[in-house]
PDB file of all heavy atoms in Angstrom:
ATOM      1  N   ARG F 450      95.446  25.578  67.737  1.00 94.00           N
ATOM      2  CA  ARG F 450      96.179  24.389  68.199  1.00 94.00           C
ATOM      3  C   ARG F 450      96.432  24.497  69.714  1.00 94.00           C
ATOM      4  O   ARG F 450      96.307  23.507  70.441  1.00 94.00           O
ATOM      5  CB  ARG F 450      97.499  24.277  67.432  1.00 94.00           C
ATOM      6  CG  ARG F 450      98.114  22.893  67.513  1.00 94.00           C
ATOM      7  CD  ARG F 450      99.478  22.843  66.903  1.00 94.00           C
ATOM      8  NE  ARG F 450      99.461  22.915  65.435  1.00 94.00           N
ATOM      9  CZ  ARG F 450     100.558  22.838  64.691  1.00 94.00           C
ATOM     10  NH1 ARG F 450     101.757  22.705  65.264  1.00 94.00           N
ATOM     11  NH2 ARG F 450     100.481  22.915  63.382  1.00 94.00           N
ATOM     12  N   ALA F 451      96.768  25.718  70.193  1.00 95.00           N
ATOM     13  CA  ALA F 451      97.033  25.918  71.623  1.00 95.00           C
ATOM     14  C   ALA F 451      95.769  25.687  72.443  1.00 95.00           C
ATOM     15  O   ALA F 451      95.807  25.130  73.534  1.00 95.00           O
ATOM     16  CB  ALA F 451      97.573  27.326  71.864  1.00 95.00           C
ATOM     17  N   ARG F 452      94.630  26.130  71.912  1.00 94.00           N
ATOM     18  CA  ARG F 452      93.364  25.966  72.628  1.00 94.00           C
ATOM     19  C   ARG F 452      93.008  24.489  72.761  1.00 94.00           C
ATOM     20  O   ARG F 452      92.520  24.027  73.797  1.00 94.00           O
ATOM     21  CB  ARG F 452      92.240  26.695  71.875  1.00 94.00           C
ATOM     22  CG  ARG F 452      90.880  26.653  72.571  1.00 94.00           C
ATOM     23  CD  ARG F 452      89.750  27.098  71.652  1.00 94.00           C
ATOM     24  NE  ARG F 452      89.582  26.230  70.501  1.00 94.00           N
ATOM     25  CZ  ARG F 452      88.967  25.057  70.505  1.00 94.00           C
ATOM     26  NH1 ARG F 452      88.452  24.581  71.629  1.00 94.00           N
ATOM     27  NH2 ARG F 452      88.885  24.326  69.412  1.00 94.00           N
ATOM     28  N   ALA F 453      93.246  23.736  71.689  1.00 93.00           N
ATOM     29  CA  ALA F 453      92.819  22.338  71.653  1.00 93.00           C
ATOM     30  C   ALA F 453      93.836  21.391  72.273  1.00 93.00           C
ATOM     31  O   ALA F 453      93.564  20.198  72.421  1.00 93.00           O
ATOM     32  CB  ALA F 453      92.541  21.938  70.198  1.00 93.00           C
ATOM     33  N   SER F 454      95.001  21.886  72.646  1.00 94.00           N
ATOM     34  CA  SER F 454      96.061  21.037  73.179  1.00 94.00           C
ATOM     35  C   SER F 454      95.645  20.429  74.522  1.00 94.00           C
ATOM     36  O   SER F 454      94.859  21.012  75.267  1.00 94.00           O
ATOM     37  CB  SER F 454      97.322  21.899  73.357  1.00 94.00           C
ATOM     38  OG  SER F 454      98.172  21.348  74.331  1.00 94.00           O
ATOM     39  N   PRO F 455      96.174  19.224  74.839  1.00 94.00           N
ATOM     40  CA  PRO F 455      95.901  18.672  76.181  1.00 94.00           C
ATOM     41  C   PRO F 455      96.504  19.557  77.286  1.00 94.00           C
ATOM     42  O   PRO F 455      96.055  19.511  78.427  1.00 94.00           O
ATOM     43  CB  PRO F 455      96.564  17.292  76.155  1.00 94.00           C
ATOM     44  CG  PRO F 455      97.360  17.221  74.908  1.00 94.00           C
ATOM     45  CD  PRO F 455      96.946  18.326  73.991  1.00 94.00           C
ATOM     46  N   THR F 456      97.518  20.337  76.972  1.00 94.00           N
ATOM     47  CA  THR F 456      98.034  21.334  77.925  1.00 94.00           C
ATOM     48  C   THR F 456      97.778  22.703  77.291  1.00 94.00           C
ATOM     49  O   THR F 456      98.666  23.308  76.716  1.00 94.00           O
ATOM     50  CB  THR F 456      99.531  21.131  78.188  1.00 94.00           C
ATOM     51  OG1 THR F 456     100.201  21.121  76.925  1.00 94.00           O
ATOM     52  CG2 THR F 456      99.805  19.834  78.931  1.00 94.00           C
ATOM     53  N   PRO F 457      96.510  23.181  77.412  1.00 95.00           N
ATOM     54  CA  PRO F 457      96.104  24.341  76.623  1.00 95.00           C
ATOM     55  C   PRO F 457      96.718  25.661  77.076  1.00 95.00           C
ATOM     56  O   PRO F 457      97.207  25.790  78.200  1.00 95.00           O
ATOM     57  CB  PRO F 457      94.592  24.375  76.826  1.00 95.00           C
ATOM     58  CG  PRO F 457      94.350  23.681  78.111  1.00 95.00           C
ATOM     59  CD  PRO F 457      95.442  22.664  78.267  1.00 95.00           C
ATOM     60  N   LEU F 458      96.685  26.609  76.158  1.00 96.00           N
ATOM     61  CA  LEU F 458      97.134  27.985  76.352  1.00 96.00           C
ATOM     62  C   LEU F 458      96.120  28.898  75.679  1.00 96.00           C
ATOM     63  O   LEU F 458      95.615  28.556  74.611  1.00 96.00           O
ATOM     64  CB  LEU F 458      98.438  28.223  75.590  1.00 96.00           C
ATOM     65  CG  LEU F 458      99.770  27.741  76.102  1.00 96.00           C
ATOM     66  CD1 LEU F 458     100.786  27.849  74.956  1.00 96.00           C
ATOM     67  CD2 LEU F 458     100.216  28.591  77.278  1.00 96.00           C
ATOM     68  N   VAL F 459      95.858  30.055  76.257  1.00 97.00           N
ATOM     69  CA  VAL F 459      95.039  31.054  75.569  1.00 97.00           C
ATOM     70  C   VAL F 459      95.977  32.042  74.872  1.00 97.00           C
ATOM     71  O   VAL F 459      96.709  32.778  75.532  1.00 97.00           O
ATOM     72  CB  VAL F 459      94.101  31.800  76.527  1.00 97.00           C
ATOM     73  CG1 VAL F 459      93.310  32.870  75.778  1.00 97.00           C
ATOM     74  CG2 VAL F 459      93.147  30.827  77.224  1.00 97.00           C
ATOM     75  N   LEU F 460      95.983  32.018  73.553  1.00 98.00           N
ATOM     76  CA  LEU F 460      96.811  32.934  72.769  1.00 98.00           C
ATOM     77  C   LEU F 460      95.930  33.982  72.085  1.00 98.00           C
ATOM     78  O   LEU F 460      94.715  33.805  71.956  1.00 98.00           O
ATOM     79  CB  LEU F 460      97.612  32.159  71.714  1.00 98.00           C
ATOM     80  CG  LEU F 460      98.641  31.142  72.251  1.00 98.00           C
ATOM     81  CD1 LEU F 460      99.301  30.404  71.084  1.00 98.00           C
ATOM     82  CD2 LEU F 460      99.707  31.846  73.095  1.00 98.00           C
ATOM     83  N   ALA F 461      96.558  35.067  71.648  1.00 98.00           N
ATOM     84  CA  ALA F 461      95.820  36.159  70.996  1.00 98.00           C
ATOM     85  C   ALA F 461      96.343  36.353  69.577  1.00 98.00           C
ATOM     86  O   ALA F 461      97.278  37.125  69.345  1.00 98.00           O
ATOM     87  CB  ALA F 461      95.968  37.441  71.814  1.00 98.00           C
ATOM     88  N   PRO F 462      95.749  35.636  68.602  1.00 97.00           N
ATOM     89  CA  PRO F 462      96.274  35.678  67.231  1.00 97.00           C
ATOM     90  C   PRO F 462      95.979  37.016  66.555  1.00 97.00           C
ATOM     91  O   PRO F 462      94.934  37.621  66.782  1.00 97.00           O
ATOM     92  CB  PRO F 462      95.519  34.541  66.537  1.00 97.00           C
ATOM     93  CG  PRO F 462      94.255  34.389  67.298  1.00 97.00           C
ATOM     94  CD  PRO F 462      94.569  34.769  68.723  1.00 97.00           C
ATOM     95  N   GLY F 463      96.903  37.452  65.702  1.00 97.00           N
ATOM     96  CA  GLY F 463      96.854  38.790  65.105  1.00 97.00           C
ATOM     97  C   GLY F 463      95.562  39.153  64.423  1.00 97.00           C
ATOM     98  O   GLY F 463      95.097  40.291  64.525  1.00 97.00           O
ATOM     99  N   ASN F 464      94.936  38.209  63.727  1.00 97.00           N
ATOM    100  CA  ASN F 464      93.763  38.587  62.943  1.00 97.00           C
ATOM    101  C   ASN F 464      92.568  39.039  63.773  1.00 97.00           C
ATOM    102  O   ASN F 464      91.722  39.772  63.271  1.00 97.00           O
ATOM    103  CB  ASN F 464      93.347  37.456  61.995  1.00 97.00           C
ATOM    104  CG  ASN F 464      94.012  37.625  60.632  1.00 97.00           C
ATOM    105  OD1 ASN F 464      94.717  38.613  60.424  1.00 97.00           O
ATOM    106  ND2 ASN F 464      93.800  36.669  59.746  1.00 97.00           N
ATOM    107  N   VAL F 465      92.490  38.634  65.052  1.00 97.00           N
ATOM    108  CA  VAL F 465      91.362  39.125  65.850  1.00 97.00           C
ATOM    109  C   VAL F 465      91.494  40.628  66.101  1.00 97.00           C
ATOM    110  O   VAL F 465      90.526  41.295  66.450  1.00 97.00           O
ATOM    111  CB  VAL F 465      91.184  38.368  67.197  1.00 97.00           C
ATOM    112  CG1 VAL F 465      91.034  36.872  66.956  1.00 97.00           C
ATOM    113  CG2 VAL F 465      92.297  38.652  68.177  1.00 97.00           C
ATOM    114  N   PHE F 466      92.705  41.166  65.932  1.00 98.00           N
ATOM    115  CA  PHE F 466      92.921  42.598  66.105  1.00 98.00           C
ATOM    116  C   PHE F 466      92.791  43.364  64.787  1.00 98.00           C
ATOM    117  O   PHE F 466      92.795  44.584  64.787  1.00 98.00           O
ATOM    118  CB  PHE F 466      94.334  42.871  66.640  1.00 98.00           C
ATOM    119  CG  PHE F 466      94.644  42.219  67.953  1.00 98.00           C
ATOM    120  CD1 PHE F 466      95.195  40.949  68.017  1.00 98.00           C
ATOM    121  CD2 PHE F 466      94.379  42.888  69.137  1.00 98.00           C
ATOM    122  CE1 PHE F 466      95.486  40.350  69.234  1.00 98.00           C
ATOM    123  CE2 PHE F 466      94.657  42.309  70.357  1.00 98.00           C
ATOM    124  CZ  PHE F 466      95.210  41.032  70.413  1.00 98.00           C
ATOM    125  N   SER F 467      92.739  42.641  63.686  1.00 97.00           N
ATOM    126  CA  SER F 467      92.870  43.289  62.380  1.00 97.00           C
ATOM    127  C   SER F 467      91.538  43.329  61.632  1.00 97.00           C
ATOM    128  O   SER F 467      91.041  42.297  61.185  1.00 97.00           O
ATOM    129  CB  SER F 467      93.902  42.522  61.540  1.00 97.00           C
ATOM    130  OG  SER F 467      93.921  43.043  60.226  1.00 97.00           O
ATOM    131  N   PRO F 468      90.948  44.529  61.483  1.00 97.00           N
ATOM    132  CA  PRO F 468      89.686  44.621  60.745  1.00 97.00           C
ATOM    133  C   PRO F 468      89.820  44.111  59.315  1.00 97.00           C
ATOM    134  O   PRO F 468      88.857  43.604  58.750  1.00 97.00           O
ATOM    135  CB  PRO F 468      89.376  46.124  60.765  1.00 97.00           C
ATOM    136  CG  PRO F 468      90.152  46.694  61.901  1.00 97.00           C
ATOM    137  CD  PRO F 468      91.374  45.839  62.029  1.00 97.00           C
ATOM    138  N   THR F 469      91.024  44.238  58.717  1.00 97.00           N
ATOM    139  CA  THR F 469      91.218  43.739  57.345  1.00 97.00           C
ATOM    140  C   THR F 469      91.716  42.295  57.339  1.00 97.00           C
ATOM    141  O   THR F 469      91.955  41.736  56.263  1.00 97.00           O
ATOM    142  CB  THR F 469      92.261  44.605  56.600  1.00 97.00           C
ATOM    143  OG1 THR F 469      93.484  44.591  57.368  1.00 97.00           O
ATOM    144  CG2 THR F 469      91.772  46.045  56.442  1.00 97.00           C
ATOM    145  N   ARG F 470      91.867  41.708  58.527  1.00 96.00           N
ATOM    146  CA  ARG F 470      92.371  40.341  58.663  1.00 96.00           C
ATOM    147  C   ARG F 470      93.675  40.128  57.888  1.00 96.00           C
ATOM    148  O   ARG F 470      93.844  39.137  57.176  1.00 96.00           O
ATOM    149  CB  ARG F 470      91.294  39.330  58.237  1.00 96.00           C
ATOM    150  CG  ARG F 470      90.052  39.440  59.154  1.00 96.00           C
ATOM    151  CD  ARG F 470      88.972  38.419  58.859  1.00 96.00           C
ATOM    152  NE  ARG F 470      89.336  37.037  59.180  1.00 96.00           N
ATOM    153  CZ  ARG F 470      89.338  36.517  60.409  1.00 96.00           C
ATOM    154  NH1 ARG F 470      89.019  37.258  61.433  1.00 96.00           N
ATOM    155  NH2 ARG F 470      89.664  35.257  60.576  1.00 96.00           N
ATOM    156  N   THR F 471      94.585  41.058  58.090  1.00 96.00           N
ATOM    157  CA  THR F 471      95.877  40.960  57.413  1.00 96.00           C
ATOM    158  C   THR F 471      97.019  40.825  58.417  1.00 96.00           C
ATOM    159  O   THR F 471      98.155  41.159  58.115  1.00 96.00           O
ATOM    160  CB  THR F 471      96.126  42.220  56.560  1.00 96.00           C
ATOM    161  OG1 THR F 471      95.903  43.382  57.392  1.00 96.00           O
ATOM    162  CG2 THR F 471      95.208  42.276  55.358  1.00 96.00           C
ATOM    163  N   ALA F 472      96.708  40.364  59.642  1.00 96.00           N
ATOM    164  CA  ALA F 472      97.756  40.291  60.675  1.00 96.00           C
ATOM    165  C   ALA F 472      97.938  38.859  61.161  1.00 96.00           C
ATOM    166  O   ALA F 472      98.296  38.631  62.312  1.00 96.00           O
ATOM    167  CB  ALA F 472      97.412  41.225  61.831  1.00 96.00           C
ATOM    168  N   ASP F 473      97.724  37.887  60.252  1.00 95.00           N
ATOM    169  CA  ASP F 473      97.805  36.495  60.694  1.00 95.00           C
ATOM    170  C   ASP F 473      99.250  36.041  60.905  1.00 95.00           C
ATOM    171  O   ASP F 473      99.484  34.956  61.401  1.00 95.00           O
ATOM    172  CB  ASP F 473      97.086  35.573  59.699  1.00 95.00           C
ATOM    173  CG  ASP F 473      96.663  34.267  60.350  1.00 95.00           C
ATOM    174  OD1 ASP F 473      96.439  34.264  61.587  1.00 95.00           O
ATOM    175  OD2 ASP F 473      96.564  33.253  59.631  1.00 95.00           O
ATOM    176  N   ALA F 474     100.216  36.895  60.567  1.00 95.00           N
ATOM    177  CA  ALA F 474     101.612  36.564  60.846  1.00 95.00           C
ATOM    178  C   ALA F 474     102.031  37.120  62.204  1.00 95.00           C
ATOM    179  O   ALA F 474     103.188  37.010  62.593  1.00 95.00           O
ATOM    180  CB  ALA F 474     102.514  37.130  59.744  1.00 95.00           C
ATOM    181  N   TYR F 475     101.073  37.711  62.961  1.00 97.00           N
ATOM    182  CA  TYR F 475     101.405  38.338  64.251  1.00 97.00           C
ATOM    183  C   TYR F 475     100.620  37.720  65.405  1.00 97.00           C
ATOM    184  O   TYR F 475      99.547  37.132  65.210  1.00 97.00           O
ATOM    185  CB  TYR F 475     101.128  39.846  64.199  1.00 97.00           C
ATOM    186  CG  TYR F 475     102.121  40.571  63.324  1.00 97.00           C
ATOM    187  CD1 TYR F 475     101.917  40.676  61.946  1.00 97.00           C
ATOM    188  CD2 TYR F 475     103.278  41.125  63.884  1.00 97.00           C
ATOM    189  CE1 TYR F 475     102.847  41.306  61.137  1.00 97.00           C
ATOM    190  CE2 TYR F 475     104.197  41.764  63.085  1.00 97.00           C
ATOM    191  CZ  TYR F 475     103.990  41.853  61.716  1.00 97.00           C
ATOM    192  OH  TYR F 475     104.919  42.469  60.920  1.00 97.00           O
ATOM    193  N   MET F 476     101.185  37.888  66.575  1.00 98.00           N
ATOM    194  CA  MET F 476     100.554  37.402  67.802  1.00 98.00           C
ATOM    195  C   MET F 476     100.823  38.443  68.891  1.00 98.00           C
ATOM    196  O   MET F 476     101.923  38.984  68.972  1.00 98.00           O
ATOM    197  CB  MET F 476     101.223  36.063  68.169  1.00 98.00           C
ATOM    198  CG  MET F 476     100.625  35.295  69.286  1.00 98.00           C
ATOM    199  SD  MET F 476      99.178  34.337  68.738  1.00 98.00           S
ATOM    200  CE  MET F 476      99.947  32.803  68.221  1.00 98.00           C
TER     201      MET F 476
END
Side-chain angles (χ1 to χ4, degrees):
Chain F
R450 198 187 287 182
R452 183 193 63 79
S454 156
T456 54
L458 282 167
V459 178
L460 296 177
N464 268 357
V465 304
F466 301 90
S467 173
T469 57
R470 298 184 68 78
T471 51
D473 203 27
Y475 289 86
M476 188 81 89

